[in-house]
Amino acid sequence: MLKIGVFGCGAIGGEICKAIDNGQIEAELYAIYDRHNESLDRVKSSLENFDPQIMEIVDMVREVDLVVECASQQAVYEVVPAALHAKCDVMVVSVGAFVDTQLLGMAENIAREKNCRIYVPSGAICGIDGLISASAAALHSVTLTTEKPPGGLRGAPYVLENNIDIDSITGRTVLFEGSATEAVQSFPANVNVAATLSLAGIGFDNTRVRIVLNPALTRNVHEITVEGEFGRFTSRVENVPSPTNPKTSYLAPLSVISTLKKLTQSFNVGT
Ligand SMILES: NC(=O)C1=CN([C@@H]2O[C@H](COP(=O)(O)OP(=O)(O)OC[C@H]3O[C@@H](n4cnc5c(N)ncnc54)[C@H](OP(=O)(O)O)[C@@H]3O)[C@@H](O)[C@H]2O)C=CC1
Ligand SMILES: O=C([O-])CC(=O)C(=O)O
């Protein structure tokens, strides 16, 4: 049975652990880690069938077959090289870290050398399957409009650096327009989806991103438009936010769970 380690036990990590524990994913939850003991305790007490060991990443990668990073962009720098050097596969959720071309190149090189896999789930967006299919021919443009209520954007570096008082904004307001490169650096915990789109499509510099604050919303909305030789598609998802982290949509952990299920199933549907 696939031995999994989960690095980061917040909104996403907690759901993944539960899905392994209740048998939705046929794997062993071998190890977990988080920098907060309360998060580790919360996850452990939610489990009925597994009693994972708490392990720092250096020890975790020696024991498991796959590490799931669901912590932060900063954690990707620690988790991905450690896993790959130890010949351990890795699934990355804080995908925005891959805007760093040195990190991305290094990860690809080590993975090739060690014959390991790096998995990036679709996360909180719909349409990655179509974009990947379309990318087999020429792509002309990829754009993402992310629209969130204040809780989904509060605390982002861009908001803090520009002294934007998001709680005083009463109407729908475009906060940011630019490349995915700038977007994932300015909103590292809000638009990792822009990085996933960039990696699947035409790269970080060519993927256009608009971030909109909408106090009237209760959901996190991501709308994607792709144009290319195949034609044109638009996908729109109205995501229920996670109860413990309003920045994170519930679809994100579901996407990780489904990607993990794919690894353990013999029959797989979708691009
Ligand atoms: N690809 C996608 O579509 C999506 C990606 N994400 C990203 O996924 C990641 C996880 O999201 P979510 O579960 O909601 O986040 P949470 O904040 O709920 O949980 C993450 C946990 O990991 C901890 N953590 C962060 N960095 C480290 C580290 N270096 N070492 C140890 N523990 C660490 C956090 O601590 P602390 O609070 O102190 O940082 C927190 O306890 C985030 O980076 C988020 O931006 C989210 C939604 C969609
Ligand atoms: O969960 C979402 O809606 C998107 C998100 O936070 C991210 O991509 O970082």
Side-chain angles (χ1 to χ4, degrees):
M1 195 146 67
L2 187 74
K3 283 163 85 178
I4 295 181
V6 174
F7 190 98
C9 291
I12 296 179
E15 293 293 336
I16 297 164
C17 290
K18 273 192 262 172
I20 301 172
D21 189 61
N22 67 25
Q24 208 184 342
I25 300 162
E26 279 184 48
E28 179 182 356
L29 181 59
Y30 191 88
I32 56 173
Y33 186 74
D34 195 287
R35 59 183 162 208
H36 301 288
N37 287 332
E38 319 83 78
S39 303
L40 291 164
D41 292 343
R42 199 179 320 113
V43 162
K44 270 185 164 274
S45 62
S46 73
L47 305 176
E48 288 176 5
N49 298 306
F50 288 105
D51 185 15
Q53 298 184 49
I54 296 168
M55 285 185 167
E56 303 235 351
I57 191 66
V58 284
D59 300 317
M60 189 188 282
V61 296
R62 286 199 211 108
E63 301 295 338
V64 303
D65 303 309
L66 169 76
V67 178
V68 183
E69 175 286 322
C70 37
S72 59
Q73 288 190 20
Q74 173 230 333
V76 175
Y77 284 83
E78 205 184 326
V79 171
V80 169
L84 297 174
H85 277 300
K87 292 191 171 194
C88 183
D89 291 338
V90 64
M91 192 171 290
V92 177
V93 182
S94 307
V95 202
F98 287 137
V99 71
D100 179 341
T101 49
Q102 274 193 329
L103 176 73
L104 179 62
M106 185 250 289
E108 285 175 327
N109 285 338
I110 311 170
R112 207 172 297 117
E113 191 184 307
K114 302 281 184 181
N115 198 21
C116 292
R117 299 279 171 269
I118 303 167
Y119 300 101
V120 174
S122 300
I125 42 173
C126 299
I128 288 293
D129 53 350
L131 176 55
I132 290 170
S133 302
S135 72
L139 289 169
H140 305 324
S141 65
V142 179
T143 59
L144 165 73
T145 300
T146 288
E147 196 163 331
K148 291 193 178 189
L153 294 165
R154 197 173 285 123
Y158 184 89
V159 170
L160 300 176
E161 282 157 19
N162 292 288
N163 293 315
I164 302 170
D165 179 6
I166 56 172
D167 294 303
S168 70
I169 296 175
T170 52
R172 186 179 182 276
T173 304
V174 177
L175 291 188
F176 170 92
E177 273 189 288
S179 66
T181 309
E182 297 164 84
V184 298
Q185 287 164 340
S186 303
F187 295 85
N190 314 88
V191 289
N192 284 283
V193 289
T196 311
L197 267 185
S198 304
L199 292 166
I202 53 176
F204 284 85
D205 288 341
N206 295 319
T207 302
R208 305 308 297 168
V209 180
R210 185 183 303 123
I211 298 174
V212 182
L213 171 73
N214 189 342
L217 283 182
T218 54
R219 295 191 171 180
N220 295 326
V221 180
H222 302 290
E223 193 169 298
I224 292 155
T225 300
V226 176
E227 291 189 63
E229 243 181 315
F230 75 99
R232 180 178 203 270
F233 82 76
T234 297
S235 86
R236 176 184 163 90
V237 57
E238 297 175 14
N239 278 317
V240 173
S242 145
T244 52
N245 184 352
K247 296 192 279 289
T248 290
S249 303
Y250 183 43
L251 189 65
L254 297 182
S255 146
V256 180
I257 290 167
S258 296
T259 308
L260 288 170
K261 279 171 76 175
K262 260 189 159 179
L263 301 183
T264 60
Q265 289 170 173
S266 46
F267 190 98
N268 281 304
V269 180
T271 310

